[in-house]
């Protein structure tokens, strides 16, 4: 009888499908898989949180709350876990305490038993509110340390060393954590480092320790074994069909490895083979997301740049939208510089997106010429304390900016904003977290707007694949590539693009090929307007709001509109002074790069 049995958390329904399928798995399929796992005595299943909330409302027209409720009904005896981004909950900005409390309360009520709470800066102050809220719901509080390395120095760096992790672990235990998670989101910790780290933490802590890693670089499965040797209490794995690559290591080989050992999890291999068979039968629906994808091989470059899988596909997507894929290498070089300017934060959501997007802006528009609202708030300390001081030159650029950044709006505001649609607390929270896409979703949910075809269930995958094939053929026939070019298969909103990056290309050559920009005709008056008197959008996205009204007098540099692009909000400044004559868009409108955001009249 093993006395030190290893406990297993299965991540298939959240992190694995987030890592490999861009969080696009439908609730109906999740339910089918969950049904095959109801009798497996797992320590827990991670089924919610992370990108689930954003993805279901933004891309799938599915209610995330309904999903959680359904999973709970099928798995009443399995502890369900969610990933919570501290103050940012399941979003990308810091929400106020009232929203944090209400969200955690409702999540607990709907089915979450274990809250895995992390802060991208490992800042304990940031975690306090969420920790308190979880405790007051009498749920399991798992506090998380995000693993990072200063400059690929492992545990020997000046910031992220043994002392740093031991100190954080002690603080988290004192804050009331019921367990501690080491979260290696990029899959970069080495087997011997995790052995050292877990061994040391086991001596210091009385609470159980869980290890979460990814297979991205190939280190994941190796580190898992050394963590188990160091007596880690719980590990994260997933079903083999969605394992490896940027996802978790698989459960099946681990069970065989540990069979009859002191750490034998005592789970039945056949149960997992059965569940994996079900998963396998469902995956062809998502074939266009998984096969040929960039994530289908091990990516050892992550050992250098530390960029987690999700952030990488975001980068490509953002560069593509900006017609600047030829700048990919520049951006990959800029990321460590931007991270250094920001005080070496761990690259994990939302900071990874913020740093990545800022690096893209820095390359395309010039360093810190456009600073996203999120980065401004970060610099102003609203995301907490970075591990090292922020570059003072960058701080000055934000301090010189008089614009007062708005805090996240509270619960009462959300209640008022959707009062005519719904008064249900779950809907109110959906809106409070994502005012733009949340509102769009609620309008669809209540039948006010139709669900667009591309958000409906997959119907004709084969046709889509043929179209993708055609796209590839057309492209390769029309380009003469230099030997330095590299080809990537990438997915943007469920669509496959084969992208060839040729550093010798001029931007114009690249732009004409397969870029789809629908230039929205605004009105005829525009064609008569002097080019110099229009403010154009430098990026595609959603217009969040205007910061000026028609008739306002503005100065050069005044911010005109906020555009949400790649989950970041960017204020667009005026290039000259004048009077606002017209503002052609409404908040919530989709805009393309080059669309006219405002027309200015010169002073009389
Ligand atoms: Co993860």
């Amino acid at each position: 009888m093993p006395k030190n049995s290893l406990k297993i958390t299965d991540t298939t329904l959240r992190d694995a499908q987030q890592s490999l399928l861009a969080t696009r798995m439908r609730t109906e399929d999740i339910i089918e898989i969950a049904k095959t796992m109801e009798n497996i005595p797992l320590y827990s299943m991670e089924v919610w949180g992370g990108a689930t909330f954003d993805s279901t409302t933004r891309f799938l027209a599915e209610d995330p709350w309904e999903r959680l409720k359904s999973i709970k009904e099928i798995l009443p005896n399995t502890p369900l876990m969610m990933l919570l981004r501290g103050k940012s909950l399941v979003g990308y900005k810091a929400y106020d305490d009232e929203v944090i409390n209400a969200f955690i309360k409702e999540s607990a009520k709907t089915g979450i038993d274990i809250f895995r709470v992390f802060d991208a800066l490992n800042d304990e102050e940031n975690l306090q509110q969420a920790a308190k809220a979880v405790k007051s719901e009498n749920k399991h509080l798992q506090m998380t340390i995000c693993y990072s390395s200063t400059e690929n120095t492992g545990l020997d760096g000046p910031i992220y060393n043994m002392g740093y992790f031991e100190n954080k672990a002690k603080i988290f235990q004192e804050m009331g954590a019921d367990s501690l998670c080491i979260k290696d989101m990029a899959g970069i910790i080495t087997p011997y480092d995790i052995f050292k780290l877990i061994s040391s933490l086991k001596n210091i802590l009385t609470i159980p320790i869980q290890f979460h890693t990814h297979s991205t670089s190939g280190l994941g499965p190796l580190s898992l074994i050394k963590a188990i040797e160091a007596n880690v209490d719980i590990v994260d794995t997933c079903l083999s069909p969605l394992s490896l690559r940027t996802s978790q290591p698989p459960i099946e080989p681990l069970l065989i490895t540990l069979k009859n050992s002191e750490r034998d999890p005592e789970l039945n291999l056949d149960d997992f083979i059965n569940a994996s068979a079900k998963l396998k039968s469902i995956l062809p629906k998502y074939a266009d997301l998984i096969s040929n994808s960039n994530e289908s091989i091990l990516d050892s470059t992550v050992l250098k740049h530390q960029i987690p899988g999700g952030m990488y596909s975001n980068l490509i997507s953002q560069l593509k939208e900006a017609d600047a894929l030829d700048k990919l290498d520049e951006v990959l070089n800029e990321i460590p510089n931007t991270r250094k300017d920001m005080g070496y934060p761990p690259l994990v959501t939302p900071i990874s997106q913020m740093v990545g997007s800022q690096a893209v802006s820095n390359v395309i528009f010039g360093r810190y010429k456009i600073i996203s609202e999120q980065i401004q708030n970060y610099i102003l300390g609203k995301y907490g304390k970075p591990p090292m001081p922020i570059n003072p030159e960058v701080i000055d650029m934000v301090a010189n900016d008089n614009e007062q950044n708005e805090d996240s709006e509270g619960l009462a505001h959300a209640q008022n904003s959707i009062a005519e649609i719904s008064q249900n607390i779950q809907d109110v929270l959906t809106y409070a977290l994502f005012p733009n896409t949340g509102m769009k979703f609620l309008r669809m949910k209540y039948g006010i707007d139709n669900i667009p075809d591309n958000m409906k269930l997959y119907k004709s995958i084969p046709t889509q694949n043929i179209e993708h094939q055609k796209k590839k053929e057309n492209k390769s026939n029309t380009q003469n590539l230099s030997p330095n070019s590299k080809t990537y298969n990438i997915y943007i909103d469920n669509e496959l693009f084969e992208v060839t990056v040729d550093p010798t290309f001029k931007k114009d050559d690249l732009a004409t090929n397969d870029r789809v920009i629908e230039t929205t005709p605004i009105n005829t008056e525009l064609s008569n307007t002097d080019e110099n008197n229009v403010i154009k959008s430098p990026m595609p996205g959603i217009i969040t709001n205007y910061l000026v009204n028609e008739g306002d007098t503005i100065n050069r540099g005044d911010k005109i509109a906020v555009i949400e692009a790649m989950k970041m909000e960017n204020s667009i400044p005026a290039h000259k002074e004048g009077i606002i004559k017209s503002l052609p868009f409404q908040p919530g409108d989709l805009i393309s790069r080059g669309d006219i955001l405002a027309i200015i009249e010169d002073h009389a």
Side-chain angles (χ1 to χ4, degrees):
M1 195 66 178
K3 44 189 170 166
N4 188 16
S5 193
L6 178 71
K7 297 185 180 77
I8 303 287
T9 290
D10 180 274
T11 64
T12 309
L13 302 181
R14 204 288 298 179
D15 202 352
Q17 67 110 347
Q18 177 170 327
S19 298
L20 297 184
L21 306 179
T23 330
R24 298 298 203 277
M25 194 179 269
R26 296 266 169 191
T27 300
E28 55 170 22
D29 294 326
I30 284 177
I31 286 174
E32 287 306 305
I33 299 158
K35 279 181 187 165
T36 66
M37 299 178 82
E38 61 179 320
N39 294 320
I40 305 180
L42 289 157
Y43 174 75
S44 68
M45 275 173 73
E46 192 200 37
V47 297
W48 212 60
T52 308
F53 215 92
D54 189 18
S55 182
T56 47
T57 52
R58 191 186 289 255
F59 301 116
L60 305 177
E62 282 185 6
D63 194 325
W65 298 104
E66 293 292 326
R67 172 179 296 186
L68 178 57
K69 190 170 156 243
S70 311
I71 298 173
K72 192 69 191 178
E73 280 165 10
I74 293 162
L75 302 170
N77 303 318
T78 310
L80 299 185
M81 180 168 78
M82 78 169 290
L83 181 67
L84 192 88
R85 301 165 181 159
K87 266 185 173 174
S88 300
L89 298 175
V90 289
Y92 302 94
K93 54 184 162 198
Y95 298 102
D96 70 26
D97 291 354
E98 212 183 15
V99 175
I100 294 173
N101 292 343
F103 181 84
I104 289 172
K105 184 174 184 179
E106 195 57 30
S107 305
K109 210 168 115 187
T110 314
I112 297 299
D113 304 289
I114 301 173
F115 288 81
R116 174 177 287 174
V117 187
F118 77 93
D119 173 61
L121 296 172
N122 294 324
D123 183 342
E124 51 276 12
E125 307 239 321
N126 274 350
L127 291 166
Q128 227 140 32
Q129 192 60 37
K132 240 168 51 189
V134 172
K135 284 291 192 184
S136 71
E137 297 302 320
N138 287 318
K139 295 296 179 184
H140 182 115
L141 170 67
Q142 178 170 85
M143 294 186 74
T144 306
I145 303 179
C146 300
Y147 177 77
S148 190
S149 144
T150 315
E151 282 181 348
N152 307 311
T153 37
L155 282 175
D156 298 322
I159 305 166
Y160 300 103
N161 46 39
M162 284 294 274
Y164 172 93
F165 293 112
E166 287 168 354
N167 180 39
K168 290 290 173 190
K170 274 189 252 174
I171 293 171
F172 289 174
Q173 179 169 277
E174 275 162 28
M175 284 171 75
D178 297 300
S179 60
L180 179 85
C181 176
I182 303 292
K183 177 180 164 74
D184 178 23
M185 57 276 171
I188 54 172
I189 196 164
T190 66
Y192 293 103
D193 276 354
I194 191 70
F195 184 86
K196 243 165 72 183
L197 186 56
I198 300 279
S199 302
S200 152
L201 295 181
K202 285 299 289 179
N203 279 329
I204 300 173
L205 303 181
T206 54
I207 53 175
I209 302 173
Q210 184 154 1
F211 178 45
H212 174 86
T213 188
H214 288 252
S215 312
T216 318
S217 69
L219 284 173
L222 306 173
S223 306
L224 207 59
I225 291 297
K226 290 305 283 183
I228 294 166
E229 280 182 16
N231 276 325
V232 74
D233 298 272
I234 315 144
V235 295
D236 287 8
T237 60
C238 64
L239 295 175
S240 54
L242 275 179
S243 70
L244 297 174
R245 295 160 286 193
T246 53
S247 175
Q248 272 70 60
I251 177 68
E252 294 93 332
L254 188 66
L255 290 185
I256 295 297
T257 306
L258 300 176
K259 188 100 194 123
N260 297 328
S261 76
E262 196 202 7
R263 305 300 323 267
D264 189 344
E266 300 190 302
L267 295 169
N268 185 351
L269 178 65
D270 288 342
D271 288 345
F272 290 97
I273 289 178
N274 178 35
S276 283
K278 184 55 155 184
L279 174 58
K280 238 186 216 167
S281 76
I282 285 168
L283 283 179
K285 276 193 192 181
Y286 301 95
D288 64 332
L289 285 165
I290 195 166
S291 64
N292 300 323
S293 80
N294 193 47
E295 289 81 18
S296 64
I297 47 163
L298 295 180
D299 176 15
S300 51
T301 62
V302 69
L303 298 171
K304 281 197 75 182
H305 58 55
Q306 302 192 27
I307 298 171
M311 178 180 170
Y312 196 80
S313 46
N314 265 345
L315 274 185
I316 303 267
S317 169
Q318 192 181 10
L319 282 170
K320 189 166 172 60
E321 285 185 354
D323 274 336
L325 259 173
D326 54 331
K327 300 248 172 33
L328 179 61
D329 282 345
E330 272 178 73
V331 171
L332 289 178
N333 289 331
E334 171 60 18
I335 286 171
N337 298 332
T338 308
R339 178 175 178 239
K340 191 175 172 188
D341 286 339
M342 295 300 131
Y344 290 105
L347 292 180
V348 62
T349 311
I351 308 272
S352 52
Q353 268 80 10
M354 288 157 54
V355 169
S357 296
Q358 191 59 50
V360 170
S361 289
N362 286 354
V363 167
I364 295 178
F365 306 115
R367 295 201 89 222
Y368 302 104
K369 285 282 186 298
I370 291 183
I371 305 179
S372 70
E373 299 292 311
Q374 281 83 350
I375 286 285
Q376 294 188 38
N377 284 331
Y378 174 92
I379 291 169
L380 295 171
K382 292 190 183 171
Y383 284 86
K385 196 168 167 284
M388 293 283 276
I390 297 170
N391 181 349
E393 285 173 32
V394 182
I395 295 178
D396 283 349
M397 289 183 222
V398 171
N400 288 339
D401 201 334
N402 320 328
E403 197 70 48
Q404 201 50 44
N405 288 301
E406 267 180 56
D407 281 323
S408 139
E409 287 150 343
L411 216 50
H413 173 88
Q415 253 148 1
N416 289 335
S417 303
I418 65 156
E420 284 174 14
I421 300 178
S422 167
Q423 290 174 19
N424 176 331
I425 180 69
Q426 297 184 345
D427 293 333
V428 170
L429 285 163
T430 299
Y431 176 85
L433 291 171
F434 297 104
N436 282 322
T437 52
M439 179 62 107
K440 282 191 170 165
F441 165 73
L442 291 173
R443 291 178 65 87
M444 290 187 273
K445 178 180 170 184
Y446 289 101
I448 303 165
D449 294 338
N450 289 326
I451 300 174
D453 281 346
N454 63 2
M455 290 177 97
K456 288 180 185 158
L457 292 173
Y458 290 92
K459 286 206 178 88
S460 53
I461 293 296
T463 334
Q464 276 183 12
N465 281 341
I466 291 163
E467 278 167 17
H468 293 148
Q469 264 335 101
K470 279 188 194 152
K471 253 180 218 157
K472 288 185 182 185
E473 283 162 24
N474 289 344
K475 270 199 78 186
S476 47
N477 290 342
T478 53
Q479 293 178 4
N480 291 317
L481 301 172
S482 83
N484 295 330
S485 62
K486 288 182 210 159
T487 301
Y488 303 86
N489 284 314
I490 61 160
Y491 287 90
I492 300 169
D493 299 351
N494 284 350
E495 207 183 344
L496 171 70
F497 293 87
E498 183 184 75
V499 178
T500 303
V501 182
D502 184 341
T504 63
F505 258 39
K506 286 197 206 81
K507 196 177 156 207
D508 290 351
D509 297 337
L510 197 68
T512 49
N513 256 309
D514 69 341
R515 175 101 181 101
V516 189
I517 297 184
E518 285 171 24
T519 337
T520 325
I522 300 162
N523 58 44
T524 46
E525 177 195 8
L526 292 185
S527 50
N528 304 325
T529 308
D530 183 351
E531 271 285 298
N532 193 36
N533 276 356
V534 296
I535 298 171
K536 290 183 178 178
S537 177
M539 57 188 85
I542 298 173
I543 183 151
T544 309
N545 58 300
Y546 278 112
L547 302 169
V548 292
N549 294 309
E550 287 177 8
D552 282 1
T553 301
I554 53 153
N555 291 314
R556 183 167 182 265
D558 281 0
K559 290 174 177 175
I560 302 302
V562 179
I563 294 178
E564 189 196 303
M566 294 311 298
K567 298 164 184 170
M568 295 298 118
E569 288 167 4
N570 303 280
S571 306
I572 308 304
H575 59 284
K576 59 175 283 188
E577 56 165 38
I579 296 163
I580 299 286
K581 189 179 165 195
S582 126
L583 301 169
F585 288 103
Q586 298 290 325
D589 283 349
L590 282 170
I591 50 162
S592 301
R593 193 171 71 103
D595 276 355
I596 292 171
L597 298 175
I599 304 173
I600 308 176
E601 243 171 359
D602 291 325
H603 293 295

